Amino acid sequence: MERLLAQLCGTDEARPLPLWEGDTTGHCFTQLVLSVIPHALLAVLSACYLSTPRTSNYILPFNPGWRLRLAASFLLSIFPLLDLLPVALPPGSRPGPIGLEVLTGCVTAVAWFTHSLALWALFHSLHGRSRGPLALALAAFLPAPALVLTLLWHCQRGSFLPPLLPGPLGRVCLLILQLTAVFAYGLGWAAPGGPREPWIQERFLSSESQEREVAEDGESWLSRFSYAWLAPLLARGVRGELQQPQDICRLPRRLHPAYLARAFQAHWKEGAQLWRALYGAFGCCYLALGLLKLVGTMLSFSGPLLLSLLVGFLEEGQEPLSHGVLYVLGLASGAVLSAVLQNQYGYEIRKVALQARVAVLSVLYRKALQLGPNRPPTGEALNLLGTDSERLLNFAGSFHEAWGLPLQLAITLYLLYQQVGMAFVAGLVLALLLVPVNKVIATRIMASNQEMLQHKDARVKLMTELLSGIRVIKFFGWEQALGDRVKSYRSQELGRLRVIKYLDAACVYLWAALPVVICIVIFITYVLMGHQLTATKVFTALALVRLLILPLNNFPWVINGLLESKVSLDRIQRFLDLPNYNPEEYYSPDPPSEPSTVLELHEALFSWDPIGTSQKTFISHLQVKKGALVGIVGKVGCGKSSLLAAITGELHRLCGWVAVSELSRGFGLATQEPWIQCATIRDNILFGKTFDAQLYTEVLEACALNDDLSILPAGDQTEVGEKGVTLSGGQRARIALARAVYQEKTFYLLDDPLAAVDADVANHLLHRCILGVLSHTTRLLCTHRTEYLEKADVVLLMEAGHLVRTGPPSEILPLVQAGPTAWTKEEEVTDSGKSLSVQNLEKTTEGLEVEQSTSGRLVQEESKCEGAVALHVYQAYWRAMGSGLAVAILVSLLLMQATRNGADWWLSHWLSQLKTAGNSSKEGPASSSPDSTVLFSPPLLLFSSRNFYTPLLNVASNGSSDVHFYLIVYGAIAGVNSLCTLLRAVLFAAGALQAAATLHHRLLHRLLMAPVTFFDSTPSGRVLNRFSSDVACVDDSLPFLLNILLANSVGLLGLLIVLGSGLPWLLLLLPPLSFIYYRVQRRYRASFRELRRLGSLTLSPLYTHMADTLAGLPVLRAAGATYRFEEENQQLLELNQRCQFASYATMQWLDIRLQLMGAAVVSAIAVIALVQHQQGLANPVFPVRMLQQSYHHPHFSAEESMGRGLVGLVLSYALSLTGLLSGLVSSFTQTEGMMVSVERLEEYSCGVPQEPRGQPLQPSSSISFLHPPTLSLPPFFLPLFPTDTLPGHQVADPGQCGVPGRGVGVSARTAKCPGQGDLPSGAWGEAGHRRPHRL
């Protein structure tokens, strides 16, 4: 290399790259180091922005700043080429070394031309509204010092003095023009960017043009490696503009749910193994990433090797300079390449995990749509959707680590063998002895994990039932009883979690304490084998054993992740193996025997379970003609609803056959328990069908909904609560009936839609709907009111699940017990009551001035906090853990770190007492083979003072008593450290369990005390998301990351103390490093925490949609809406996938920058050391202790003592410092992201309104009720006439269905309507039960 540099620069081989020439820097150094390298960096950064997406939403006004920069960049790409013209001049007037000038000019021209293209792309993008990326502008000014120094070099050579030569004079003129162009570039950058007016959007333009940019697609490979495409997203995060999922960049094509669903379905078939389908869809790409992992793992060992070579080069001083340059370049390039490869490996692994996640969630939802009668509880399905799918994806990162960590372990053990020979076997045996112990712990963790998930399923299932029946629970005062049941399941879940946490603590303790124990065992064995410990061997062995910490500590977590993935895979597989709803097998392929027959059943036996142990429904023979009205009557529980379920395929057909004509058109189904979506009334009725004004008006009239809509402020745009909780039973039944009618089917199954309405409304539905709008269709009507079946064509009599008789109404109805005949009088009373109620309502509405919301929106958008996680959230977690326990954890952490640093200090003190002599005999290699040091020699690591082939100096033997003394003290300190490590692990596990129990208890207690209005306006998916995903995060993910954060914090504190006492000059790097790290993490945190919040927000609709689907599955299938619901699920999944992908991408954005900064710090120190060595500069300040030690060793001079291991020590500490800072930033931001779950739990634990408790009720003559504004319902006034009611009396509440005032007592009891008055204090019992009264 020296010869190459000498030929290129025209210098002597002894000094091929002189730093100084006269009064200025060397010309070759200026051109190669100060010009070529900055221009190369400018070209690389500019290339990252070449693929910036253009925007068409903005016109391009005259912007002098951008145009001036473009012109300057173009001229700067031309000037270097013109500077090469003097090469053709006579030899006497040439500028200098031709090769150097050509290289410099070409690199400069390419760099500025690339920069011009990048500026053009940025000007036509969203960056055109500002000055563009700051890093790109700063890189453009990096070559400016080289231009100034070159001008000084020309002055020194006398280019301006006569005789004036055309070559040098022309070069000086071009140099001045280049400096002018750089100055013009700076003026252009300083000029403010002009405003850009948006195009006026035409109405015919789609909203797609307003969508965010597409992530990653179309970007250059440099942009992908540096994540430059994330700049717009991060800028929006800093400005606080990440408010909704639409603010996030769109997904790349290979991560879009629609694409992934198609790719997965190509390998998925019913009954297949899930893991095989996932492997077929994503396995090849995933396994290929193993090669990336292997290369990155091998590169991680290049650092110690090159550092050892560099130390030997600096101390020996006998190798040529080119070797030192190669060592530094190899160190820098190896660190950068390792950082890029490991970062890309992590990024691609996360992308594969996201692909598998979408595939799993899609197949779970599709399976839910295809479930047969045997369906799991909703809580279990939601756990599969949330917890199990996430645990299954842990396999993506754990599989490659399962073989990567043992590979690292094997290489490290081999290097340790090169240092201490066979003595390392003692430590290896000790490590292998812990493998069966780890196996037992892992087995117990797996078993406890399965039991914990079962208890979690039961808890979430009970919470789902509790939220569904909250009105009944509030009415009867069962909050305490149901809360105790939830707490019971939670205590069982925490019991299993406690076992897992303590086993994890034991496992972590064993592997964390193992390196120290291995060191003691190896040192004792090495001494007993007759060898003498030296500083090189001890520190090298200690450093190698410390390299075992990562694989040994991570391996239990990897095994645990694999086991958890196996458990979750089995649970998901069991769900996917459930029998499907298969209409091809259920229904007969042949149509009914007669063309006029719509439905035919023959010898058909049905049951709710596949083996027929539950109640059976048997139909010997049944034919239903087209256009007929068929009534189904019978006692309660006789099988009427089961017959309709059998017709729709919701039962198991054990024998016989079912034939339905035009089955593809589906059914019009109105179930006995109306299924209402959390949407507006119009959306519930339309149910995805196109709006037809005429048909819609006819349906509203036929279903008697006009009067109900007239009293709502937003009419049919009023949003009803989940499952229609804000509607009366009759209103829900009529909306469900209207939905079925609007679908315009030819076959209708009506399961007692008249039971929940009043007599006059039922009469209206019969004549206007069933006998009116639906008169041309086939109708099966189940009802207990036999008087409505007099106009039926056929009546079926069911008894004990059997069809006993079929005939006209005149024959069948007399066999059925007659119902009450007073309904006509009741109708008259209702009519009068209706008019009175409406009149009173109108008068009262005029008298009350109430501010109402006319939006009709009941369920508001889920709120989220903004900015950094507030301090009170951390305080809440501290209080949940307990102040005493939290303080004990911090004390144990400090003691653990103090004893660890104390053990290292004692080892250093021990080695400093060893007396060495220059005439000591040589010590042979520890290994049995004399050639064993050819590949890896003992001075391998940082503290080595020799190169690969230099033998070690023997050290005089100490007395055995001294060795025993130092070993005993070192072992005692290590034992105390081991106890502190165990104490910290146990205390932290206890604190995490206490916090998890407290946070769940507070959340449950607050929700049980909430009024019903809260549940009306809050979908159950939001609540279940907190009780499932957020609670799982607090149980598992948050403690794991918080533990890492605390360990990194105390580790950094201990490192800074060691640096301050041993290498105080290195502390000068901390302020700039801290500033850079602060700016990077601040930019990252602003986006990451918002993405984390948006991820939680977009997860709640997925829960709600799954629960909604399982509840209304019969209606979905009957209406043929399963495909539409699957598309809606993909849209919701796409929004959540956006947030997840953006979160992972920003994490990798932070990771690559932290790793590159760490590599830059280590490389900079290595370069400084190399320059000092070449120039013969003095060593930097060394610790006083080393100076004192040099005086006690007469055979080593002070300079030799200062040089011994100095560079290796500095580099190792710098590497440890940057690694700890990177880990601290990463763990803090991830912990903050996990604290969002605590924030969401605290939002409900502190912000949910509470029912008044313990307030005495005073009698009042009237009650005035007012619905909250969120319900968008009209106010009403209910007068209570003076009367005395005695115990045991009953109170009647007549009135039409849907008229305000009915059920007001129940509403007041359940706190549905907060009032301006009170019920009489004696109306309710002390236990919360209603006391019967008679009016």
Side-chain angles (χ1 to χ4, degrees):
M1 175 172 284
E2 288 84 355
R3 182 178 302 175
L4 178 62
L5 286 176
Q7 293 177 356
L8 184 65
C9 300
T11 56
D12 186 11
E13 292 186 9
R15 295 187 62 192
L17 190 64
L19 180 61
W20 292 94
E21 290 181 359
D23 297 332
T24 183
T25 57
H27 181 64
C28 188
F29 178 83
T30 301
Q31 297 299 316
L32 287 181
V33 178
L34 301 182
S35 180
V36 172
I37 294 179
H39 278 107
L41 179 61
L42 176 63
V44 171
L45 289 178
S46 300
C48 293
Y49 293 95
L50 289 179
S51 301
T52 303
R54 298 183 61 176
T55 176
S56 59
N57 290 340
Y58 296 92
I59 61 177
L60 300 175
F62 178 76
N63 193 326
W66 277 97
R67 292 174 184 258
L68 185 58
R69 292 169 66 186
L70 282 169
S73 300
F74 181 74
L75 291 176
L76 285 170
S77 66
I78 299 297
F79 290 152
L81 299 179
L82 298 177
D83 195 25
L84 298 179
L85 293 179
V87 174
L89 296 177
S93 59
R94 286 180 181 178
I98 297 178
L100 178 64
E101 302 300 333
V102 172
L103 174 64
T104 306
C106 292
V107 172
T108 304
V110 171
W112 282 110
F113 183 73
T114 307
H115 188 67
S116 302
L117 297 179
L119 289 180
W120 180 264
L122 290 171
F123 178 53
H124 290 82
S125 69
L126 293 176
H127 291 281
R129 290 178 291 176
S130 61
R131 294 184 174 92
L134 178 61
L136 193 62
L138 294 178
F141 293 106
L142 290 179
L147 296 176
V148 176
L149 292 175
T150 304
L151 184 61
L152 294 177
W153 178 76
H154 277 283
C155 295
Q156 184 182 4
R157 291 188 61 183
S159 300
F160 297 101
L161 300 176
L164 296 177
L165 299 177
L169 185 60
R171 297 195 69 217
V172 171
C173 295
L174 288 176
L175 189 61
I176 295 175
L177 290 177
Q178 291 183 58
L179 285 172
T180 305
V182 171
F183 180 73
Y185 183 96
L187 291 179
W189 180 81
R196 310 188 73 180
E197 299 295 335
W199 287 102
I200 299 177
Q201 294 289 340
E202 301 292 342
R203 292 187 178 182
F204 61 84
L205 293 178
S206 65
S207 60
E208 187 68 21
S209 60
Q210 300 177 354
E211 280 281 349
R212 294 296 181 183
E213 65 278 355
V214 179
E216 192 180 31
D217 285 348
E219 299 290 338
S220 64
W221 61 273
L222 288 174
S223 177
R224 294 192 181 207
F225 284 167
S226 63
Y227 304 94
W229 53 268
L230 271 176
L233 175 68
L234 296 173
R236 288 195 294 271
V238 173
R239 295 193 302 265
E241 296 177 359
L242 294 179
Q243 303 296 328
Q244 53 185 353
Q246 288 75 15
D247 295 332
I248 303 174
C249 51
R250 287 181 288 165
L251 289 170
R253 184 180 66 90
R254 298 183 64 85
L255 286 180
H256 200 278
Y259 170 83
L260 294 174
R262 291 193 301 268
F264 179 75
Q265 287 299 323
H267 299 84
W268 171 258
K269 61 180 180 179
E270 201 60 40
Q273 295 292 319
L274 177 62
W275 71 269
R276 291 183 181 273
L278 290 174
Y279 174 77
F282 316 111
C284 294
C285 178
Y286 176 71
L287 292 180
L289 294 177
L291 181 62
L292 203 62
K293 170 71 174 176
L294 177 62
V295 176
T297 301
M298 301 306 296
L299 280 175
S300 64
F301 289 95
S302 65
L305 293 173
L306 292 170
L307 286 174
S308 178
L309 291 173
L310 182 60
V311 170
F313 166 80
L314 295 177
E315 293 192 349
E316 293 297 328
Q318 299 177 356
E319 297 183 60
L321 175 63
S322 59
H323 289 188
V325 174
L326 289 177
Y327 296 154
V328 173
L329 291 179
L331 179 66
S333 59
V336 172
L337 186 60
S338 176
V340 171
L341 290 181
Q342 292 184 8
N343 179 268
Q344 284 298 308
Y345 165 76
Y347 177 62
E348 294 298 330
I349 281 291
R350 292 180 185 275
K351 285 173 61 177
V352 172
L354 284 178
Q355 291 176 334
R357 175 179 181 267
V358 171
V360 171
L361 295 184
S362 298
V363 75
L364 283 175
Y365 187 79
R366 179 169 294 183
K367 180 65 180 183
L369 291 175
Q370 299 173 351
L371 282 175
N374 291 341
R375 299 169 193 162
T378 303
E380 181 178 342
L382 294 180
N383 274 343
L384 295 176
L385 194 70
T387 306
D388 289 288
S389 62
E390 295 296 332
R391 290 193 171 191
L392 175 62
L393 300 181
N394 290 338
F395 176 84
S398 300
F399 175 76
H400 285 309
E401 293 295 333
W403 63 263
L405 293 179
L407 177 63
Q408 297 180 39
L409 184 65
I411 296 176
T412 306
L413 289 176
Y414 176 76
L415 298 179
L416 188 62
Y417 167 74
Q418 296 295 320
Q419 292 298 312
V420 296
M422 297 304 297
F424 92 100
V425 176
L428 179 62
V429 170
L430 180 62
L432 293 178
L433 288 177
L434 291 181
V435 173
V437 178
N438 186 55
K439 176 64 172 59
V440 174
I441 294 177
T443 304
R444 290 290 306 275
I445 290 177
M446 182 177 178
S448 300
N449 192 25
Q450 290 177 335
E451 297 178 12
M452 184 191 71
L453 290 177
Q454 293 176 358
H455 297 314
K456 183 181 179 67
D457 288 341
R459 176 176 61 84
V460 177
K461 174 186 175 183
L462 182 59
M463 282 302 305
T464 306
E465 296 174 352
L466 187 149
L467 295 174
S468 301
I470 191 63
R471 268 184 168 74
V472 178
I473 295 172
K474 292 285 185 180
F475 181 76
F476 287 102
W478 291 343
E479 297 97 325
Q480 184 66 34
L482 268 296
D484 291 341
R485 288 186 58 190
V486 175
K487 293 175 185 176
S488 175
Y489 284 125
R490 176 62 175 171
S491 62
Q492 296 176 10
E493 180 185 2
L494 287 176
R496 295 295 90 196
L497 182 64
R498 182 173 293 105
V499 174
I500 294 174
K501 288 299 180 184
Y502 285 130
L503 288 177
D504 280 343
C507 192
V508 169
Y509 162 72
L510 290 176
W511 292 102
L514 184 61
V516 178
V517 180
I518 287 179
C519 284
I520 297 176
V521 172
I522 288 177
F523 293 157
I524 293 177
T525 305
Y526 189 75
V527 171
L528 293 179
M529 291 175 63
H531 301 291
Q532 174 62 43
L533 288 175
T534 64
T536 300
K537 287 189 175 297
V538 169
F539 280 111
T540 302
L542 186 61
L544 280 172
V545 172
R546 283 176 177 175
L547 289 179
L548 300 176
I549 293 178
L550 178 63
L552 292 180
N553 283 351
N554 287 352
F555 199 70
W557 298 104
V558 170
I559 298 300
N560 191 23
L562 292 175
L563 295 177
E564 288 182 351
S565 301
K566 179 63 169 58
V567 172
S568 296
L569 176 64
D570 294 339
R571 285 165 52 85
I572 295 176
Q573 189 66 51
R574 284 195 298 269
F575 177 78
L576 296 176
D577 290 340
L578 292 175
N580 279 354
Y581 165 77
N582 193 347
E584 288 78 10
E585 295 181 359
Y586 188 87
Y587 296 100
S588 173
D590 301 325
S593 57
E594 299 179 6
S596 60
T597 302
V598 176
L599 172 68
E600 184 173 2
L601 288 83
H602 182 72
E603 297 297 330
L605 180 62
F606 306 95
S607 178
W608 288 100
D609 61 88
I611 57 177
T613 56
S614 61
Q615 181 180 355
K616 301 176 184 178
T617 301
F618 178 74
I619 307 298
S620 59
H621 187 75
L622 173 63
Q623 282 187 337
V624 178
K625 302 295 183 180
K626 290 184 178 180
L629 173 60
V630 180
I632 305 176
V633 296
K635 296 180 180 180
V636 176
C638 66
K640 300 186 296 296
S641 299
S642 298
L643 175 59
L644 298 185
I647 296 173
T648 57
E650 298 300 324
L651 268 66
H652 292 279
R653 181 177 59 81
L654 303 181
C655 62
W657 55 275
V658 181
V660 180
S661 65
E662 299 181 351
L663 180 63
S664 60
R665 299 191 60 180
F667 307 95
L669 179 62
T671 56
Q672 190 173 10
E673 291 292 334
W675 175 67
I676 304 296
Q677 288 184 277
C678 183
T680 63
I681 294 177
R682 174 180 288 191
D683 291 339
N684 271 282
I685 296 175
L686 297 182
F687 201 56
K689 191 177 179 182
T690 306
F691 177 74
D692 186 341
Q694 181 179 357
L695 175 61
Y696 185 73
T697 304
E698 294 177 359
V699 170
L700 292 182
E701 172 61 26
C703 296
L705 287 171
N706 286 323
D707 290 342
D708 299 89
L709 298 181
S710 64
I711 65 175
L712 297 176
D716 62 353
Q717 294 298 325
T718 301
E719 187 174 288
V720 298
E722 195 173 19
K723 300 181 182 179
V725 293
T726 59
L727 303 174
S728 66
Q731 289 171 334
R732 289 198 297 269
R734 282 178 285 149
I735 291 177
L737 179 61
R739 176 181 60 210
V741 174
Y742 191 82
Q743 301 304 310
E744 294 186 294
K745 304 294 184 180
T746 59
F747 193 6
Y748 281 87
L749 305 176
L750 310 177
D751 192 357
D752 211 356
L754 309 177
V757 298
D758 299 322
D760 57 341
V761 178
N763 193 40
H764 179 96
L765 294 178
L766 177 66
H767 292 88
R768 298 290 185 88
C769 182
I770 299 175
L771 299 177
V773 177
L774 300 180
S775 59
H776 63 285
T777 63
T778 305
R779 295 139 293 166
L780 267 64
L781 174 63
C782 294
T783 182
H784 290 284
R785 297 187 175 183
T786 57
E787 64 272 13
Y788 293 138
L789 297 179
E790 294 177 354
K791 297 183 179 181
D793 299 309
V794 180
V795 177
L796 310 180
L797 179 60
M798 299 292 297
E799 184 176 341
H802 290 70
L803 177 60
V804 294
R805 292 200 61 174
T806 304
S810 57
E811 295 181 5
I812 303 300
L813 294 183
L815 302 178
V816 183
Q817 182 179 1
T821 58
W823 62 275
T824 55
K825 298 181 181 179
E826 183 181 348
E827 179 182 0
E828 298 174 0
V829 174
T830 303
D831 291 340
S832 60
K834 172 184 176 181
S835 60
L836 178 61
S837 301
V838 173
Q839 293 174 3
N840 291 337
L841 174 62
E842 294 174 355
K843 295 179 181 179
T844 306
T845 306
E846 295 175 359
L848 291 175
E849 296 181 359
V850 182
E851 181 181 356
Q852 301 179 50
S853 171
T854 59
S855 64
R857 187 171 181 82
L858 170 63
V859 179
Q860 305 298 321
E861 294 292 338
E862 187 174 4
S863 61
K864 71 176 183 70
C865 299
E866 297 178 2
V869 177
L871 179 61
H872 70 83
V873 178
Y874 295 96
Q875 293 174 347
Y877 193 77
W878 177 282
R879 291 192 298 268
M881 184 178 290
S883 299
L885 195 55
V887 171
I889 293 173
L890 294 179
V891 171
S892 64
L893 274 168
L894 294 175
L895 289 176
M896 181 191 71
Q897 187 63 38
T899 52
R900 180 176 300 172
N901 293 339
D904 295 339
W905 174 85
W906 180 256
L907 190 59
S908 302
H909 174 71
W910 174 17
L911 294 173
S912 67
Q913 303 303 316
L914 293 175
K915 307 298 182 181
T916 59
N919 55 354
S920 300
S921 60
K922 304 290 182 75
E923 182 185 8
S927 58
S928 58
S929 174
D931 299 329
S932 59
T933 59
V934 174
L935 182 60
F936 296 109
S937 65
L940 177 64
L941 287 185
L942 310 180
F943 296 91
S944 170
S945 59
R946 303 289 178 186
N947 57 18
F948 279 147
Y949 305 101
T950 303
L952 295 174
L953 293 177
N954 190 18
V955 181
S957 175
N958 281 7
S960 60
S961 59
D962 292 339
V963 173
H964 292 163
F965 168 73
Y966 285 115
L967 282 178
I968 290 174
V969 175
Y970 181 73
I973 298 176
V976 174
N977 175 259
S978 176
L979 292 178
C980 293
T981 304
L982 177 62
L983 181 63
R984 167 237 178 175
V986 173
L987 288 178
F988 193 86
L993 289 168
Q994 180 64 33
T998 303
L999 290 174
H1000 180 272
H1001 174 76
R1002 294 180 63 240
L1003 175 66
L1004 178 63
H1005 180 267
R1006 187 80 178 191
L1007 282 176
L1008 290 177
M1009 294 292 102
V1012 178
T1013 51
F1014 168 77
F1015 299 97
D1016 291 345
S1017 58
T1018 304
S1020 62
R1022 294 183 189 175
V1023 182
L1024 291 177
N1025 189 11
R1026 284 166 170 80
F1027 276 96
S1028 180
S1029 294
D1030 290 320
V1031 169
C1033 177
V1034 172
D1035 289 348
D1036 188 21
S1037 302
L1038 176 60
F1040 175 73
L1041 291 173
L1042 183 60
N1043 197 3
I1044 296 177
L1045 172 63
L1046 294 176
N1048 285 334
S1049 300
V1050 297
L1052 180 62
L1053 178 62
L1055 181 61
L1056 292 178
I1057 294 175
V1058 172
L1059 285 177
S1061 61
L1063 296 173
W1065 65 272
L1066 194 58
L1067 296 179
L1068 298 177
L1069 293 176
L1070 287 183
L1073 273 181
S1074 301
F1075 176 76
I1076 295 175
Y1077 277 89
Y1078 171 76
R1079 293 296 299 271
V1080 170
Q1081 63 89 24
R1082 179 176 174 270
R1083 186 176 179 85
Y1084 165 72
R1085 286 175 55 208
S1087 299
F1088 180 76
R1089 58 175 174 253
E1090 300 303 325
L1091 293 173
R1092 174 72 181 174
R1093 288 163 176 159
L1094 289 174
S1096 298
L1097 254 66
T1098 53
L1099 192 60
S1100 296
L1102 282 173
Y1103 282 99
T1104 303
H1105 194 66
M1106 172 67 87
D1108 222 14
T1109 300
L1110 292 175
L1113 198 52
V1115 178
L1116 297 180
R1117 291 173 178 168
T1122 55
Y1123 181 75
R1124 178 172 64 87
F1125 267 66
E1126 188 172 359
E1127 284 188 337
E1128 291 179 1
N1129 182 74
Q1130 281 198 354
Q1131 293 174 1
L1132 296 174
L1133 187 57
E1134 193 265 341
L1135 292 179
N1136 183 257
Q1137 184 84 336
R1138 277 192 187 188
C1139 302
Q1140 297 289 341
F1141 172 69
S1143 299
Y1144 290 153
T1146 50
M1147 290 172 61
Q1148 299 304 115
W1149 177 91
L1150 174 70
D1151 178 73
I1152 188 62
R1153 278 151 180 79
L1154 295 181
Q1155 289 198 46
L1156 289 179
M1157 282 189 288
V1161 170
V1162 177
S1163 303
I1165 297 178
V1167 170
I1168 294 173
L1170 185 63
V1171 172
Q1172 289 179 345
H1173 173 75
Q1174 181 191 8
Q1175 300 298 326
L1177 301 178
N1179 286 323
V1181 179
F1182 197 67
V1184 178
R1185 182 183 58 180
M1186 294 296 296
L1187 292 174
Q1188 294 175 346
Q1189 182 179 352
S1190 65
Y1191 295 118
H1192 292 287
H1193 297 277
H1195 299 282
F1196 291 94
S1197 65
E1199 182 179 355
E1200 291 173 337
S1201 298
M1202 289 189 296
R1204 184 179 177 87
L1206 174 60
V1207 176
L1209 185 62
V1210 171
L1211 290 173
S1212 64
Y1213 271 78
L1215 184 60
S1216 301
L1217 176 62
T1218 53
L1220 271 178
L1221 284 174
S1222 301
L1224 183 63
V1225 173
S1226 301
S1227 59
F1228 177 72
T1229 50
Q1230 293 185 38
T1231 302
E1232 186 180 37
M1234 293 301 168
M1235 287 298 293
V1236 173
S1237 294
V1238 181
E1239 179 184 70
R1240 287 165 54 82
L1241 296 182
E1242 283 297 299
E1243 178 187 2
Y1244 274 20
S1245 299
C1246 301
V1248 173
Q1250 297 290 277
E1251 292 178 336
R1253 294 286 172 174
Q1255 299 180 3
L1257 298 176
Q1258 300 296 331
S1260 177
S1261 60
S1262 65
I1263 307 174
S1264 177
F1265 291 91
L1266 177 64
H1267 287 282
T1270 56
L1271 296 181
S1272 301
L1273 297 177
F1276 57 88
F1277 184 79
L1278 177 65
L1280 295 182
F1281 301 101
T1283 182
D1284 293 331
T1285 57
L1286 300 176
H1289 288 192
Q1290 297 180 357
V1291 179
D1293 187 10
Q1296 187 185 7
C1297 175
V1299 172
R1302 297 194 62 196
V1304 70
V1306 178
S1307 297
R1309 170 67 187 105
T1310 58
K1312 177 180 178 181
C1313 308
Q1316 296 177 354
D1318 295 302
L1319 285 175
S1321 59
W1324 304 96
E1326 296 179 357
H1329 296 279
R1330 186 171 53 140
R1331 292 180 177 175
H1333 285 66
R1334 179 171 307 188
L1335 184 58

